Amino acid sequence: MNPRVWLVVLAVAAVLAFVIADLARTSPGPLAAVHGAVANCSDCHGGWFGTMTTACLKCHEPIEQQIGAGAGLHGVLGRARAEQCGTCHSDHHGEKFQLVNRRSFKLADVPDPAAFDHTLIGFPMNGKHLQQECSRCHTNADLARLPDGQTRFV
């Protein structure tokens, strides 16, 4: 048989093997409740032509606006750092896992969320604000899944 034919057959077999292996990939763990409605891995991981960052910012437009304006916690972090979403907000830890947690704050240089320095984001806390519980303003802070259109801290 012609060596070119063998080469084509081997190339097709190799491509098929990679496609079959890719189809057989499984999730490294269950998603957090907030991402439970995701249809497939590409929705969050960017698929063939996107990145995880573009996929995150597609759903989290207020965060994209913060980064662009250099405002809010994500904007203060700077674009390069803020666009590494999965570093602070890793998923696949189960339905009850909170993507915004003490670890994510610590990675954003906020060691204690309850003592967050609001001047960092242009909102100085003074007067009666200092006597309030965080949940007074951040009513959705501890929800596992936010209602549509609601924010956690923004």
Side-chain angles (χ1 to χ4, degrees), residues 80-95:
R81 194 165 162 207
E83 288 185 348
Q84 299 301 314
C85 311
T87 301
C88 296
H89 306 288
S90 63
D91 205 332
H92 298 286
H93 299 289
E95 193 172 290

Side-chain angles (χ1 to χ4, degrees), residues 9-75:
V9 169
L10 288 174
V12 169
V15 168
L16 283 174
F18 281 115
V19 168
I20 290 169
D22 190 53
L23 291 174
R25 287 192 311 181
T26 59
S27 173
L31 294 173
V34 69
H35 291 147
V38 170
N40 62 58
C41 302
S42 295
D43 289 348
C44 292
H45 291 276
W48 289 83
F49 302 107
T51 66
M52 191 169 182
T53 299
T54 57
C56 290
L57 296 178
K58 182 178 177 184
C59 290
H60 299 281
E61 290 178 28
I63 302 304
E64 182 177 32
Q65 291 167 359
Q66 277 187 2
I67 294 169
L73 182 59
H74 292 91

Side-chain angles (χ1 to χ4, degrees), residues 66 72-74 77 81 85 87-90 97-118 120-121 134 138 140-142 152-154:
Q66 277 187 2
L73 182 59
H74 292 91
L77 290 173
R81 194 165 162 207
C85 311
T87 301
C88 296
H89 306 288
S90 63
F97 183 73
Q98 294 280 25
L99 293 169
V100 178
N101 55 49
R102 282 185 131 345
R103 179 182 174 275
S104 59
F105 275 106
K106 189 173 183 178
L107 289 167
D109 300 325
V110 179
D112 182 5
F116 180 70
D117 179 6
H118 286 73
L120 179 69
I121 59 168
C134 301
H138 301 292
N140 297 326
D142 295 324
R152 194 171 304 280
F153 294 106
V154 178

